Amino acid sequence: MMLVEVTATMLLLGLLLGFVGAGGSGFIIAILTVAFGYPIHTALGTALAAMFFSSLSGSISHYREGNMILKTGAIVGLAGALGAWISSSWSSFIPADQLGWMTSGMLFTSGLALWFRMVHQAKYAGKKAAAPMRTNGWKFYLSAASIGLVTGALSGLFGIGSTPFIQLGLMLILGLSMRFAAGTTMLVIIPIALAGGAGYYSVGYLDIQLLIAVVIGTMLGSYVGAKFTKRVPALMLKTCMVLTPMLGAAILLI
């Protein structure tokens, strides 16, 4: 019965996530721990693994639209997978109450990073974008791997998607445009979510039945919620995008 309630709740949550275009792992963590009483470690592993499915479908769409740089995404993603696999095992050594506070703090930081990304996008809107870093040479490989390791470690340890951090790294360090940063980020998250979820499963913090309930609910809800994105003012949409991870953090603090 609880799994049915989880699916129904995730369906409603998916409506919001689809509307704002967010992965919503932080919100999923908050709902599973606060509303349903799941341990924080299990909630982290479930939320991280669930991102694999949403990122996979999003990546296919971005690839078909030509919004993805495969080589960059592959290098950042593989380095991120390594970081997520290692850090996912670290979380088991952090007491649940401390991990909840730390995850909440990262969600607030994620919201601020998303706001900074929007400011950066607005500042350079209409201007000719700088040439991206050439995808060869030691500087590119070192920069791409560093972005992946850091953001992957954050994802694995705190169960968050790290989407704003990945996009900022791709734009500010590798010089990708907002369009290519958004599409490439979806590819990057796939190996991070897969490795992080596997890491949590290996230490006993991934509930497969719970994962299925979360995935079914969020994917169905997101599909419907996305249809409302173009029907609201841009300012309202941007505000909701920034506040969504922060609201999840506030629920965790409760």
Side-chain angles (χ1 to χ4, degrees):
M1 179 61 69
M2 180 177 287
L3 290 178
V4 175
E5 294 175 355
V6 169
T7 303
T9 304
M10 291 300 149
L11 179 63
L12 296 176
L13 177 59
L15 293 174
L16 172 63
L17 300 180
F19 167 64
V20 301
S25 58
F27 222 131
I28 293 173
I29 294 169
I31 295 298
L32 291 179
T33 54
V34 176
F36 293 100
Y38 283 97
I40 182 69
H41 295 89
T42 300
L44 293 180
T46 301
L48 185 57
M51 286 193 301
F52 170 80
F53 298 94
S54 59
S55 298
L56 181 61
S57 60
S59 293
I60 294 174
S61 177
H62 277 292
Y63 178 75
R64 289 176 175 175
E65 295 295 327
N67 298 333
M68 187 181 295
I69 300 180
L70 290 176
K71 182 177 180 180
T72 300
I75 295 173
V76 177
L78 290 175
L82 177 60
W85 171 263
I86 296 173
S87 65
S88 61
S89 61
W90 294 347
S91 69
S92 61
F93 299 105
I94 304 176
D97 56 341
Q98 296 183 20
L99 187 58
W101 280 94
M102 295 168 67
T103 301
S104 179
M106 283 306 304
L107 288 173
F108 274 115
T109 306
S110 177
L112 292 175
L114 183 58
W115 173 81
F116 182 79
R117 189 201 70 179
M118 292 178 180
V119 171
H120 180 272
Q121 180 184 6
K123 181 178 179 181
Y124 292 96
K127 297 182 180 180
K128 184 177 180 180
M133 183 183 295
R134 297 179 61 183
T135 57
N136 54 34
W138 67 269
K139 184 177 181 180
F140 165 75
Y141 288 104
L142 179 61
S143 299
S146 298
I147 294 171
L149 282 172
V150 172
T151 56
L154 291 175
S155 292
L157 186 59
F158 301 111
I160 62 175
S162 293
T163 298
F165 304 110
I166 297 172
Q167 290 184 356
L168 284 174
L170 294 178
M171 290 189 296
L172 300 181
I173 298 177
L174 299 184
L176 270 63
S177 66
M178 183 63 203
R179 169 194 167 192
F180 285 108
T184 305
T185 295
M186 296 299 291
L187 176 62
V188 170
I189 294 177
I190 292 177
I192 289 178
L194 185 61
Y200 276 97
Y201 181 77
S202 67
V203 294
Y205 287 131
L206 180 59
D207 187 322
I208 300 299
Q209 290 184 327
L210 177 61
L211 173 62
I212 294 173
V214 169
V215 169
I216 292 175
T218 53
M219 292 193 73
L220 289 176
S222 296
Y223 178 80
V224 177
K227 297 182 180 297
F228 295 92
T229 301
K230 295 182 179 180
R231 292 175 168 81
V232 299
L235 180 60
M236 180 185 296
L237 179 60
K238 291 180 179 180
T239 302
C240 291
M241 291 176 68
V242 173
L243 292 181
T244 294
M246 293 185 173
L247 182 57
I251 295 175
L252 267 182
L253 289 179
I254 296 175

